[in-house]
Amino acid sequence: MINLQEFIFCLCSVSLSSLSQIAFKLNTQLGNGEKIKYLLLGISLMVGSMLFVLLALRTMNLSILVMFAPLSFVLVPVLSVFFFKEKINTQFWIGTFMIITGITVSLVNPI
């Protein structure tokens, strides 16, 4: 079973990774004067994400850690709604439900 600290490390890693993807997309949409700022922000967020992965791996199995990776498939589109005014359809919400259900089942009954 996963403890609270490991859970927080995993969520921080996925959150920072998702935010880095948003920063990289912002980098592609801005003028040359703003690009370097968002590029550096994206790189910094990705490094922060990797640090949380390393912290989590100190005490938990990789097989459990990778179960959190699909959360980025949920976070990036949701963040895109706020940052880029993108639209989310019903299929996305069905997929989100399936991802969260799969993660929950895997964490409750690990292999």
Side-chain angles (χ1 to χ4, degrees), residues 35-47:
K35 281 189 172 212
I36 191 71
K37 179 171 59 172
Y38 286 101
L39 178 64
L40 293 175
L41 176 63
I43 292 170
S44 299
L45 290 167
M46 189 60 71
V47 168

Side-chain angles (χ1 to χ4, degrees), residues 72-98:
S72 66
F73 295 123
V74 175
L75 285 177
V76 171
V78 169
L79 291 171
S80 294
V81 168
F82 294 107
F83 285 95
F84 308 112
K85 307 295 185 240
E86 294 181 2
K87 300 206 183 318
I88 294 178
N89 60 23
T90 305
Q91 292 172 326
F92 168 80
W93 293 114
I94 293 169
T96 297
F97 173 76
M98 293 171 71

Side-chain angles (χ1 to χ4, degrees), residues 5-45:
Q5 181 181 17
E6 294 167 343
F7 183 75
I8 290 171
F9 287 162
C10 292
L11 288 183
C12 287
S13 173
V14 170
S15 298
L16 290 176
S17 176
S18 298
L19 286 170
S20 74
Q21 292 178 45
I22 297 298
F24 289 138
K25 183 165 181 173
L26 282 169
N27 174 57
T28 64
Q29 294 183 341
L30 298 173
N32 288 336
E34 297 285 317
K35 281 189 172 212
I36 191 71
K37 179 171 59 172
Y38 286 101
L39 178 64
L40 293 175
L41 176 63
I43 292 170
S44 299
L45 290 167

